[in-house]
Amino acid sequence: MQALWMVLASFWFALMAVGIKYASNSFGTLELVLYRGLVSMVFMAIVVRARGATLRTPVPMMHVWRSTIGVLSLSAWFYAIAHLPLATAMTLNYMSGVWVAAFIVGGALLYGDAQKQGPLLGTVLLGFVGVVMTLRPTIDQNQLFAGVVGLLSGMGAALAYMQVTALGKVGEPEERTVFYFSVGTALVGAVGLLFTDVTPWSEVRLQDALWVIPIGILASLGQWCMTRAYRKGATLVVASMQYSGIVFAALFSLLLFGDKIAPMGWLGIAVIVASGLLATVLRSRAMPNTPAEEH
């Protein structure tokens, strides 16, 4: 099933978040955005060449819009990860699934088709309840600005996902979409650094610098899988599957950082898994003989 690509994407993104958390000890947000973009550009250019594809696109402005929204969302998420507890930053960013559902249902209301989307909307909301149960996000009074930035990162991500869906509808291949997003990421990071201080490499810790290349590669893999999911899968099902990233993040915290998962957290993980399975079942019953191409 195509939506399972979102599960794989969530795994790569959760690993990337671990790398960002480490690397942010030495690098600022815009520096990480730049390095992530540069590494991803090189990686995806190799992929495009290996697949015998071309970087020429018939819809350049669609890529500009996708890259602009996506990079702003990415920068906001990096900032939130650096200035908030990881659980809180992840929760705010993963509200993108709720925003996607809101956009879909809003469009359905305009066309009088909201009832059809209702059950799948419920699975998205159920998944987000599981996210909150798992992460139990907290925020201090002096972190309110970072919290707003994190919230906006989720909304921006939702808009970017909708644009990925639109690019898929016009036939753009996944690797080309990811490449141009990487270009936009690198450009925004480079321009931003013209107005901010850059960390001297003499002050960068080696253990933090070693994460720069993996962050870019993991981001590319995550974007590639996510783009394929939104291009070929049913949007609300994919949005529900996206919450699996929280499960991976919680397990990484347990295994890598020794964080404990409370009973409520394990229950939240179960709710997230159940919401994804329910979304899959509902989708298959609604369209048993039709490929999941409808958005």
Side-chain angles (χ1 to χ4, degrees):
M1 179 181 174
Q2 297 296 343
L4 291 179
W5 282 104
M6 191 67 236
V7 177
L8 184 57
S10 297
F11 174 77
W12 298 128
F13 285 141
L15 270 179
M16 183 191 73
V18 172
I20 293 170
K21 193 66 177 177
Y22 281 123
S24 62
N25 292 323
S26 292
F27 299 105
T29 299
L30 288 172
E31 290 174 285
L32 290 175
V33 169
L34 171 61
Y35 298 143
R36 174 246 187 267
L38 291 175
V39 173
S40 185
M41 277 178 57
V42 174
F43 181 78
M44 291 312 302
I46 294 173
V47 169
V48 170
R49 185 180 182 87
R51 292 171 68 89
T54 176
L55 293 177
R56 176 175 292 184
T57 174
V59 287
M61 292 311 299
M62 291 184 70
H63 285 287
V64 170
W65 173 245
R66 185 267 181 272
S67 295
T68 300
I69 296 298
V71 170
L72 290 175
S73 171
L74 178 71
S75 301
W77 187 37
F78 280 19
Y79 181 90
I81 289 176
H83 295 85
L84 291 172
L86 183 59
T88 303
M90 294 289 288
T91 300
L92 293 172
N93 185 259
Y94 271 83
M95 278 196 70
S96 59
V98 177
W99 289 114
V100 167
F103 296 150
I104 293 292
V105 173
L109 286 172
L110 289 176
Y111 294 100
D113 197 25
Q115 187 175 2
K116 180 180 177 181
Q117 302 286 357
L120 285 176
L121 170 63
T123 65
V124 176
L125 297 178
L126 179 63
F128 187 70
V129 170
V131 170
V132 176
M133 292 170 63
T134 303
L135 296 180
R136 292 170 296 163
T138 59
I139 187 168
D140 295 331
Q141 186 174 1
N142 61 352
Q143 295 174 326
L144 290 178
F145 177 76
V148 172
V149 172
L151 184 65
L152 292 175
S153 77
M155 181 183 291
L159 290 171
Y161 296 155
M162 299 300 289
Q163 184 66 7
V164 166
T165 300
L167 282 165
K169 286 184 176 181
V170 299
E172 281 293 89
E174 295 96 354
E175 58 269 20
R176 185 188 294 161
T177 299
V178 177
F179 174 81
Y180 281 113
F181 175 61
S182 302
V183 172
T185 303
L187 286 175
V188 169
V191 172
L193 286 181
L194 295 176
F195 304 96
T196 58
D197 295 330
V198 179
T199 305
W201 277 95
S202 59
E203 299 179 8
V204 174
R205 297 191 305 177
L206 177 61
Q207 60 266 40
D208 299 332
L210 290 176
W211 278 101
V212 170
I213 293 178
I215 285 173
I217 294 176
L218 291 169
S220 298
L221 294 174
Q223 286 287 332
W224 196 357
C225 294
M226 181 273 291
T227 301
R228 174 163 292 192
Y230 273 103
R231 180 173 181 258
K232 297 185 176 182
T235 305
L236 286 178
V237 178
V238 174
S240 183
M241 291 291 189
Q242 180 184 357
Y243 294 132
S244 60
I246 297 298
V247 178
F248 293 128
L251 295 177
F252 287 150
S253 295
L254 177 68
L255 298 175
L256 299 178
F257 305 112
D259 296 336
K260 294 183 179 180
I261 301 177
M264 181 63 72
W266 288 112
L267 181 59
I269 288 175
V271 170
I272 292 172
V273 174
S275 70
L277 293 174
L278 183 59
T280 304
V281 171
L282 288 173
R283 176 64 183 181
S284 62
R285 287 182 177 178
M287 304 188 71
N289 299 315
T290 304
E293 295 279 326
E294 180 183 340
H295 302 284

